[in-house]
Amino acid sequence: MRVLLHYGYAFLTDGLGLVLMLLPFYLLGRLLYLAVHKDKTLAGKIQPDREVLLLAFFVFLVLLFTQTFVVNSGRNELRLVPLNVITTQIAQMHDSPETVNEFLFNVVGNIGIFVPVGWFAAAIFRRNLVRTAGIGLLLSLCIEVGQLPLDRTTDVDDLILNTTGAVLGYGLYRLLIKLSGAFRRK
């Protein structure tokens, strides 16, 4: 659990400078977009809930970019055999605690980092499960292909795990919608 908290903290802090640097550009761009497209918003009004979600999604994407492109892993590998790394890590778990940490970082980290993608796709863009999975897969594919020329590991398992995370994020969003509806009826 401590390992997950460490990586969660690093995810938030590694990209904070970039978020603060890009935030004025996002805000200016969003204001310009709203000014030009004010007839397409609901009765010409800004929807604060949607704007907060869009801002949070922007911050998340910048943090994701930082972790997947800026923070250097020091390895340049191409892994194309599906589930090879995961099965190897499971087989070696009893050998060392380091393997357990690597497994958690790989599996839980790759799933967890894409849960927000599925949640935001459902909440902001009103996508269904199949489209949300497609968004997760496409974003993950862009990341993996973008890492090819870098000192990063490009792994087909990441596509599988990231897409799984996006699907779980969609499921979490739908569950929260159902629960909030149940609470409203009471």
Side-chain angles (χ1 to χ4, degrees):
M1 182 61 151
R2 203 165 103 185
V3 171
L4 295 176
L5 290 175
H6 168 74
Y7 286 115
Y9 178 77
F11 178 77
L12 293 173
T13 57
D14 287 345
L16 195 56
L18 188 58
V19 167
L20 293 174
M21 193 169 54
L22 294 176
L23 191 58
F25 296 104
Y26 168 81
L27 294 173
L28 180 64
R30 190 69 188 146
L31 287 172
L32 289 172
Y33 175 84
L34 290 171
V36 170
H37 294 93
K38 63 182 167 189
D39 58 322
K40 292 185 181 181
T41 61
L42 185 66
K45 295 181 182 176
I46 294 175
Q47 300 168 356
D49 297 353
R50 182 171 169 76
E51 295 306 318
V52 168
L53 284 173
L54 285 168
L55 177 62
F57 191 44
F58 167 77
V59 169
F60 169 77
L61 288 175
V62 171
L63 294 174
L64 181 64
F65 172 82
T66 303
Q67 286 301 306
T68 55
F69 291 106
V70 177
V71 176
N72 192 346
S73 69
R75 293 183 194 162
N76 191 343
E77 294 180 50
L78 178 60
R79 300 176 182 160
L80 297 176
V81 179
L83 305 176
N84 184 44
V85 173
I86 294 171
T87 55
T88 301
Q89 287 174 334
I90 290 171
Q92 295 174 351
M93 262 194 212
H94 66 280
D95 293 342
S96 75
E98 286 178 13
T99 307
V100 173
N101 289 342
E102 289 172 10
F103 175 80
L104 287 174
F105 177 78
N106 183 29
V107 174
V108 177
N110 275 304
I111 290 173
I113 203 167
F114 264 66
V115 167
V117 171
W119 193 90
F120 282 121
I124 297 170
F125 307 113
R126 306 285 188 234
R127 297 293 181 226
N128 63 25
L129 177 61
V130 172
R131 287 189 174 167
T132 299
I135 289 169
L137 178 67
L138 185 62
L139 180 58
S140 181
L141 183 63
C142 289
I143 289 169
E144 295 303 316
V145 169
Q147 289 177 339
L148 283 171
L150 304 175
D151 282 337
R152 303 287 307 207
T153 300
T154 301
D155 191 346
V156 71
D157 289 358
D158 292 352
L159 293 174
I160 296 166
L161 296 169
N162 294 161
T163 305
T164 301
V167 168
L168 288 174
Y170 174 85
L172 179 63
Y173 174 79
R174 298 302 305 162
L175 177 65
L176 291 174
I177 292 298
K178 281 188 178 190
L179 290 176
S180 70
F183 285 122
R184 286 182 189 152
R185 286 190 292 264
K186 287 184 181 185

